[in-house]
Amino acid sequence: DAGITQSPRHKVTETGTPVTLRCHQTENHRYMYWYRQDPGHGLRLIHYSYGVKDTDKGEVSDGYSVSRSKTEDFLLTLESATSSQTSVYFCAISESSGGEKLFFGSGTQLSVL
Amino acid sequence: DAKTTQPTSMDCAEGRAANLPCNHSTISGNEYVYWYRQIHSQGPQYIIHGLKNNETNEMASLIITEDRKSSTLILPHATLRDTAVYYCIAGGNTGKLIFGQGTTLQVKP
């Protein structure tokens, strides 16, 4: 299995508080992605990174920011969590952007009360 | 990315081959066909992908029709651990693949 670690695995927080989720990889892959998964919506891309300090928005980026200061770490921040951000968050990595495999982490279950 | 159509659910007997169909009639020439699966509450797992030719690996075989408008994922000897949601995706950009609702495969003893 690809070396991807997401932390925390579970988190419960209150509306309005900041939350940061971490994705750590040991594969030295260039591309990293954050998805959220909700019933009825499948997996939706939030943000992605194509290198250190290089990031771009995905399909559902509002309310989220990301940072990548090192190849191995990709952080997802909810500046002020809302109940609509209750979801399962998955990090994924790939070597390149075309025709390559995506490797996923185990996910973070986030509940915003 | 091209839209894909998969059956909502399928059953398969343990030990038999599971054949999961997918339609992607609007696929463009540079788009790959990917298959992933997701076992309950885990992250999606890559299975196989192809462009034009049929592909086989240790997990499965991918059969793509000559016109590339449809494909079939074959799990040669399904086990109970193959029970999962299977996603067929057609796309060119790895990170922007659209995971739809997939096919829920139930392998039964």
Side-chain angles (χ1 to χ4, degrees):
Chain A
D1 288 344
I4 308 171
T5 305
Q6 290 186 232
S7 58
R9 291 296 311 278
H10 300 88
K11 186 169 182 67
V12 180
T13 192
E14 293 185 349
T15 298
T17 59
V19 176
T20 295
L21 308 183
R22 180 181 183 235
C23 178
H24 177 79
Q25 61 143 330
T26 58
E27 305 296 324
N28 201 37
H29 282 0
R30 179 180 174 188
Y31 289 80
M32 298 185 75
Y33 313 84
W34 277 108
Y35 293 87
R36 60 178 289 175
Q37 186 171 35
D38 306 288
H41 289 279
L43 275 160
R44 293 181 290 175
L45 181 65
I46 305 172
H47 280 281
Y48 67 99
S49 169
Y50 46 96
V52 173
K53 293 187 173 28
D54 291 324
T55 65
D56 205 349
K57 296 179 179 180
E59 183 186 359
V60 288
S61 59
D62 287 347
Y64 303 94
S65 63
V66 290
S67 66
R68 191 165 178 205
S69 58
K70 298 185 291 185
T71 298
E72 57 266 34
D73 289 325
F74 192 31
L75 304 180
L76 177 71
T77 297
L78 291 66
E79 300 290 347
S80 178
T82 67
S83 59
S84 64
Q85 293 175 312
T86 292
S87 186
V88 181
Y89 291 86
F90 288 103
C91 173
I93 63 174
S94 68
E95 284 191 272
S96 71
S97 63
E100 288 291 334
K101 309 171 190 177
L102 269 176
F103 297 99
F104 284 83
S106 300
T108 294
Q109 172 68 62
L110 176 67
S111 297
V112 184
L113 305 178
Chain B
D1 290 350
K3 178 180 169 57
T4 61
T5 304
Q6 301 176 250
T8 302
S9 63
M10 294 181 63
D11 290 341
C12 178
E14 188 178 19
R16 305 298 292 268
N19 296 279
L20 289 84
C22 180
N23 285 316
H24 32 79
S25 58
T26 61
I27 194 169
S28 62
N30 64 347
E31 289 183 323
Y32 291 81
V33 179
Y34 299 87
W35 283 85
Y36 286 79
R37 73 180 183 184
Q38 188 170 24
I39 297 171
H40 179 63
S41 78
Q42 298 179 18
Q45 177 189 23
Y46 167 85
I47 301 173
I48 199 166
H49 77 287
L51 187 61
K52 295 180 182 178
N53 300 321
N54 298 338
E55 302 286 345
T56 295
N57 62 21
E58 65 278 4
M59 288 183 69
S61 295
L62 172 60
I63 309 298
I64 303 174
T65 58
E66 194 168 341
D67 62 7
R68 301 208 328 124
K69 293 185 176 182
S70 66
S71 61
T72 301
L73 178 75
I74 301 172
L75 307 178
H77 305 287
T79 71
L80 298 178
R81 286 177 292 183
D82 291 322
T83 292
V85 178
Y86 287 77
Y87 299 99
C88 169
I89 307 158
N93 187 315
T94 301
K96 296 186 176 180
L97 302 181
I98 298 172
F99 287 73
Q101 299 304 307
T103 296
T104 299
L105 175 68
Q106 182 73 48
V107 180
K108 299 186 174 182

